[in-house]
Amino acid sequence: MGKVIVVTSGKGGVGKTTSTANLGTALALLDKTVAVVDADVGLRNLDIVMGLESRIVYTSMDVIEKQCELSKALVRDRRVDGLMLLAASQKNNKDDIQPEQMKAICDKLRTTHDFVLIDSPAGIERGFSNASAGADEAIVVTTPDVSAIRDADRIIGLLQNARIEPINLVINRFSPQLVGNGSMMDQADVLDILNIDLIGVVPEDSAVITSTNRGIPLVYEDGSPGAQAYMRIARRLTGQRIPIHSFEQKGLLNNIVNWFTRKR
Amino acid sequence: MNISIRQLFGRKPKSSSIAKQRLKLVITQDRFDVDDRVMTRLHHELAEVLAKYFEFSANSVKMDLKQEGNSYILVADFPYTKFHETNMRQ
Ligand SMILES: Nc1ncnc2c1ncn2[C@@H]1O[C@H](COP(=O)(O)OP(=O)(O)OP(=O)(O)O)[C@@H](O)[C@H]1O
Ligand SMILES: [Mg+2]
């Protein structure tokens, strides 16, 4: 039985779709079978970020309306074995789907895939309830700024009420330079506020933007700091124990202190 | 102490520490901000339980959340007119 993980955030534009695309691809590169599901009905993006937009024929709406079988609606990513995408309908809206219907789709997908990753829309309304309805676990994505962290805290509360656990945090668009000069909170600050487990830190990386332009997830070319960060998170999701990478450019003494005081 | 040394050297506090401080405050508030519907339900349920022991008029009842420093206190005023003594002996 596979795991269903919702990728969510509260605030929009913090990197949910980017993270779903890259973690899905990374897990497939690690020989796992993966289904990525776009739950952003009406504002679908996962297909274009992954470069699969020209191959979408059916969506989750068609499956729900019994216009086609689930297996037929899944688009196979030909670049790697074991990766499938279920697209969201672009002409419907979030209220056209019920949480139970999403849950039914997740429960089917978990019988055939090791990982089911759900790309949640921003917000705390229906789109979020639909995306999280079938989830066992959650990945909360935040950027290290006040609005995103405040909204992440709200979402974490809702996930806890829904008994979804573990809830793992991804800090995205982290800038070692800004942290170094005191204009950005570091990972310890963010964890101190949100108080959940950190599964990875993704640096600000222009390769994210160029890879999205091309429709080729970053992790296919394992060179950029962003790609490496996503590969490490994927390995942690498979249960490998990899220490959290430190991007901070502090002195040696500080690094030693950090090592002793880090959250495990 | 920390701040006074900084002030001595005329340095502004880092904006990241200001962000952290402000977030901690607002998130404590967010977390304790009880949904109005939940408060109404709690109000009804409390009144139901208390009605077994006391007599009071429903519109004299007040419930409120008060903040004292970092903690929140639920204050409920149920001014009663009579105590049902018989219930004590059951
Ligand atoms: N680590 C990063 N470095 C640089 N740019 C990034 C990074 N992560 C995300 N971005 C950029 O930020 C933008 C928003 O990302 P994305 O679409 O993944 O966010 P989202 O949370 O899915 O947004 P929405 O709430 O609208 O669904 C995109 O243009 C993306 O390329
Ligand atoms: Mg998105």
Side-chain angles (χ1 to χ4, degrees):
Chain A
M1 261 324 186
K3 265 185 202 166
V4 182
I5 307 177
V6 60
V7 180
T8 184
S9 70
K11 187 175 185 295
V14 297
K16 295 177 292 296
T17 303
T18 305
S19 298
T20 309
N22 279 290
L23 292 176
T25 309
L27 286 165
L29 289 169
L30 295 172
D31 293 331
K32 301 291 174 189
T33 52
V34 186
V36 290
V37 178
D38 194 342
D40 206 342
V41 177
L43 292 170
R44 85 177 191 208
N45 279 142
L46 190 57
D47 55 338
I48 192 162
V49 170
M50 294 185 74
L52 298 173
E53 71 278 11
S54 63
R55 300 190 33 222
I56 309 298
V57 181
Y58 298 108
T59 66
S60 50
M61 202 66 215
D62 298 313
V63 177
I64 288 166
E65 288 174 341
K66 302 206 161 48
Q67 302 292 318
C68 86
E69 286 292 312
L70 176 58
S71 56
K72 223 176 134 193
L74 292 170
V75 173
R76 205 171 70 77
D77 192 322
R78 298 196 188 107
R79 297 163 293 190
V80 58
D81 276 342
L83 180 59
M84 308 265 204
L85 165 73
L86 180 61
S89 160
Q90 184 71 334
K91 58 175 194 278
N92 290 82
N93 67 55
K94 275 127 191 129
D95 296 323
D96 296 335
I97 292 186
Q98 308 286 325
E100 304 77 55
Q101 296 171 322
M102 270 301 284
K103 187 173 183 304
I105 290 180
C106 294
D107 285 342
K108 258 196 189 155
L109 286 174
R110 77 161 86 233
T111 62
T112 45
H113 296 80
D114 299 325
F115 287 91
V116 181
L117 300 186
I118 318 280
D119 181 20
S120 165
I124 53 170
E125 289 84 19
R126 181 63 163 273
F128 166 74
S129 340
N130 283 342
S132 57
D136 313 308
E137 303 186 4
I139 291 178
V140 171
V141 183
T142 189
T143 46
D145 61 90
V146 288
S147 333
I149 293 171
R150 184 186 191 176
D151 295 354
D153 189 70
R154 186 77 207 282
I155 279 291
I156 291 165
L158 294 175
L159 290 166
Q160 286 167 339
N161 287 346
R163 305 258 180 282
I164 293 174
E165 72 162 23
I167 304 169
N168 281 307
L169 185 70
V170 168
I171 303 177
N172 189 21
R173 310 197 76 157
F174 185 87
S175 161
Q177 288 87 337
L178 291 182
V179 169
N181 70 23
S183 356
M184 183 182 271
M185 283 175 275
D186 65 13
Q187 60 196 53
D189 292 333
V190 180
L191 290 180
D192 188 26
I193 296 160
L194 293 179
N195 210 9
I196 59 172
D197 290 327
L198 181 68
I199 196 162
V201 181
V202 181
E204 174 75 27
D205 186 349
S206 60
V208 171
I209 297 160
T210 52
S211 77
T212 308
N213 289 342
R214 297 198 171 91
I216 304 168
L218 202 58
V219 290
Y220 279 121
E221 294 156 54
D222 188 28
S224 67
Q228 288 168 0
Y230 278 121
M231 283 309 299
R232 281 192 295 268
I233 298 173
R235 287 183 193 282
R236 291 185 192 111
L237 284 174
T238 67
Q240 292 184 35
R241 305 177 117 225
I242 300 168
I244 296 288
H245 184 83
S246 173
F247 292 99
E248 281 148 74
Q249 301 167 323
K250 286 181 180 166
L252 177 65
L253 183 66
N254 255 310
N255 278 333
I256 294 169
V257 171
N258 278 349
W259 194 85
F260 280 106
T261 56
R262 78 194 156 140
K263 298 207 169 180
R264 279 159 217 264
Chain B
M1 184 61 190
N2 217 339
I3 287 172
S4 60
I5 289 173
R6 278 222 186 87
Q7 281 167 346
L8 215 65
F9 288 93
R11 289 245 314 259
K12 276 202 260 171
K14 293 183 295 182
S15 75
S16 62
S17 9
I18 297 173
K20 185 179 177 187
Q21 248 175 29
R22 292 176 55 226
L23 263 173
K24 281 208 137 172
L25 233 115
V26 77
I27 280 178
T28 331
Q29 265 168 28
D30 289 349
R31 283 179 187 167
F32 283 90
D33 207 0
V34 181
D35 190 320
D36 277 347
R37 283 172 307 181
V38 175
M39 280 295 262
T40 315
R41 205 166 74 209
L42 177 62
H43 186 169
H44 285 313
E45 284 175 17
L46 274 180
E48 222 168 86
V49 173
L50 289 171
K52 290 185 195 161
Y53 300 91
F54 300 98
E55 219 171 86
F56 52 85
S57 73
N59 47 19
S60 66
V61 174
K62 278 194 223 107
M63 267 176 57
D64 218 353
L65 274 175
K66 287 189 177 140
Q67 188 181 3
E68 257 177 39
N70 262 342
S71 54
Y72 284 68
I73 305 168
L74 174 66
V75 185
D77 278 328
F78 285 78
Y80 66 95
T81 49
K82 202 176 158 200
F83 176 52
H84 300 316
E85 214 168 316
T86 48
N87 280 344
M88 283 297 280
R89 291 196 203 100
Q90 285 169 359

